[in-house]
Amino acid sequence: MKLFQAIEQRRAIKHFEPNAKMCEADFTQMMNAVLLSPTSYNIQHWRFIRITDTKTRLKIKEAAWGQQQVEDASEVIILCADTQAWSDRPERYWANADHQTQAILLPMLDTFYTQKPQTQRDEAMRSCGMAAQTLMLSAKALGYDTCPMIGFDTQAMADIIKLPEGHVISMMITIGKANKAASQRGGQLPLSQVLMDNSY
Amino acid sequence: MKLFQAIEQRRAIKHFEPNAKMCEADFTQMMNAVLLSPTSYNIQHWRFIRITDTKTRLKIKEAAWGQQQVEDASEVIILCADTQAWSDRPERYWANADHQTQAILLPMLDTFYTQKPQTQRDEAMRSCGMAAQTLMLSAKALGYDTCPMIGFDTQAMADIIKLPEGHVISMMITIGKANKAASQRGGQLPLSQVLMDNSY
């Protein structure tokens, strides 16, 4: 599928075919595409929790206030991030770079993130956002639909997936075969209202 | 360009052809694609500051610690968000929905965002992340390269673009014609290290 088609056809789908499966080859192709999304300093701090267990899926549905698409989707993925990944063996993020480059990057990373919890958290949300859009467009190109979700009890979700300290949940994405099309787009603001030249 | 090609070929480019321009039709097509990225409740809280003024561009380069790609890029866009957009005439985000749907959505929005500054900020970073990836893939499909940037003095940047209260800067993207290819990818973590089944 062409890029612009995927962008235009991607809509948040809330009604999935309950018996549809995503084939493993498609899942892997989608996730490998996701891993090509950018992260600052290539820290790749995203972590993806794929819900394959039926009981866990139902707990997650409950944490998401009973939203049916969580039960009916072919796949459910929780997008999380390790906000401390920048300090966890960072050399591995630049394994292919020469030692000189590594020697420049290491202190930059320290300066940028040390004792800056808001910067670390912003980065987690931003990177997961970029990864999420890659995931949703890839799913679309492979013939699936998605729903990006933030409507859930974050603490309940953290308990279910055993979220470790220093990690955050960014969002959830359900993936499946739509059995009801999305409504027309809600009411898009024109470009002129959200694009400004040089300053507000 | 096909979606997966765009994903694979998108790299952070730091060296742009200084005299290259992005034609206006391409810019508009790219931005219109960006506006099809999802936002929660369709609040479309993103705001894009396009730097067209040369003096402003040089100030931004300075705020970005002199990084040359800011000067040489064909376009520079600062991705911001209005963290209070959820409370600013929200009916317009669902103008095409019926009154019943609007009546359900309004109190949901209030409950979700009222007096939750971290939720508002997370949402800004996440939405700008999704928009950013749409922007970078669209630019790639149109024959341009991009560099996503967070390496700048946020306060200096806010002053330059006259960022209003309640708004945040998420990131900057430079767009142009590459005159030096990216190095090989830094050191990608295998999927098995970032994907988990059901829980950490």
Side-chain angles (χ1 to χ4, degrees):
Chain A
M1 187 181 271
K2 292 210 168 154
L3 170 74
F4 287 109
Q5 275 183 299
I7 292 172
E8 281 154 26
Q9 292 178 23
R10 184 215 58 78
R11 298 295 312 280
I13 292 296
K14 306 228 166 122
H15 301 274
F16 292 113
E17 201 53 66
N19 298 316
K21 302 280 176 219
M22 186 174 201
C23 78
E24 201 60 26
D26 286 347
F27 184 84
T28 303
Q29 184 177 356
M30 177 185 77
M31 289 308 301
N32 281 329
V34 169
L35 297 194
L36 300 180
S37 314
T39 54
S40 296
Y41 299 101
N42 201 37
I43 59 174
Q44 304 164 72
H45 49 164
W46 45 44
R47 301 293 179 263
F48 306 95
I49 314 296
R50 177 189 192 180
I51 308 303
T52 54
D53 177 64
T54 310
K55 278 189 189 166
T56 308
R57 176 88 75 107
L58 292 176
K59 281 186 207 163
I60 283 173
K61 180 188 173 190
E62 200 184 327
W65 306 317
Q67 292 180 78
Q68 190 59 30
Q69 73 263 35
V70 178
E71 184 172 350
D72 293 342
S74 306
E75 295 283 347
V76 172
I77 298 178
I78 323 289
L79 283 78
C80 309
D82 177 0
T83 66
Q84 307 306 308
W86 61 274
S87 61
D88 180 14
R89 296 161 289 149
E91 304 80 11
R92 61 193 168 137
Y93 310 138
W94 324 303
N96 300 332
D98 55 40
H99 288 293
Q100 201 186 344
T101 305
Q102 292 188 3
I104 294 169
L105 286 168
L106 264 176
M108 284 175 75
L109 207 58
D110 263 353
T111 308
F112 201 82
Y113 292 110
T114 301
Q115 293 186 318
K116 292 182 184 157
Q118 187 62 60
T119 299
Q120 296 166 10
R121 186 179 177 102
D122 286 351
E123 196 62 44
M125 296 299 158
R126 197 162 34 218
S127 296
C128 284
M130 290 189 278
Q133 184 68 341
T134 310
L135 190 156
M136 293 187 283
L137 294 176
S138 297
K140 185 77 236 181
L142 292 166
Y144 303 88
D145 282 287
T146 53
C147 188
M149 297 175 65
I150 56 161
F152 49 80
D153 177 330
T154 309
Q155 188 52 57
M157 188 73 92
D159 292 343
I160 296 167
I161 64 170
K162 301 189 175 75
L163 190 77
E165 205 179 332
H167 290 236
V168 292
I169 296 174
S170 171
M171 60 194 286
M172 167 157 71
I173 299 179
T174 51
I175 310 167
K177 293 283 183 184
N179 68 7
K180 189 177 160 195
S183 314
Q184 59 175 324
R185 287 185 185 270
Q188 299 315 104
L189 303 180
L191 188 53
S192 58
Q193 281 185 27
V194 296
L195 177 69
M196 284 155 270
D197 275 359
N198 299 304
S199 74
Y200 274 84
Chain B
M1 185 182 270
K2 292 210 168 152
L3 170 75
F4 288 109
Q5 273 183 300
I7 292 172
E8 281 154 27
Q9 292 178 24
R10 184 217 57 79
R11 298 295 311 281
I13 292 294
K14 307 231 166 120
H15 301 273
F16 292 113
E17 202 52 66
N19 298 317
K21 303 280 175 220
M22 185 173 202
C23 77
E24 201 59 28
D26 286 348
F27 183 84
T28 303
Q29 184 176 357
M30 177 185 78
M31 290 307 302
N32 281 329
V34 169
L35 298 195
L36 300 180
S37 313
T39 54
S40 296
Y41 299 101
N42 201 35
I43 58 173
Q44 303 164 72
H45 50 163
W46 45 45
R47 301 292 179 265
F48 306 95
I49 314 296
R50 177 189 192 181
I51 307 302
T52 54
D53 176 65
T54 310
K55 277 190 189 164
T56 308
R57 176 87 75 106
L58 292 176
K59 282 186 206 164
I60 283 173
K61 179 187 173 190
E62 201 184 326
W65 306 315
Q67 292 181 78
Q68 190 61 32
Q69 73 261 37
V70 178
E71 185 173 348
D72 292 342
S74 307
E75 296 282 347
V76 172
I77 298 178
I78 322 290
L79 284 78
C80 310
D82 176 0
T83 66
Q84 305 308 308
W86 61 275
S87 61
D88 180 14
R89 296 161 289 150
E91 304 80 10
R92 61 191 168 140
Y93 310 138
W94 323 305
N96 301 331
D98 55 40
H99 287 294
Q100 201 185 347
T101 305
Q102 292 188 3
I104 294 167
L105 286 168
L106 264 175
M108 285 175 74
L109 208 59
D110 262 354
T111 308
F112 201 83
Y113 292 109
T114 300
Q115 294 186 318
K116 292 182 184 157
Q118 187 62 60
T119 300
Q120 297 166 9
R121 187 180 176 100
D122 285 352
E123 196 62 46
M125 297 298 159
R126 196 161 36 217
S127 296
C128 284
M130 291 190 276
Q133 184 67 341
T134 310
L135 191 156
M136 293 186 284
L137 294 176
S138 297
K140 185 77 236 181
L142 292 166
Y144 302 88
D145 281 288
T146 53
C147 188
M149 298 175 66
I150 54 162
F152 49 81
D153 178 331
T154 310
Q155 188 53 57
M157 188 73 94
D159 292 343
I160 296 167
I161 64 170
K162 303 189 173 75
L163 190 77
E165 206 180 332
H167 290 236
V168 293
I169 296 173
S170 171
M171 59 194 287
M172 168 159 69
I173 300 179
T174 51
I175 310 166
K177 293 282 182 183
N179 68 8
K180 190 177 160 194
S183 314
Q184 61 174 323
R185 287 184 185 270
Q188 299 315 104
L189 303 180
L191 188 53
S192 59
Q193 281 184 28
V194 295
L195 176 69
M196 284 155 270
D197 275 358
N198 299 304
S199 73
Y200 275 83

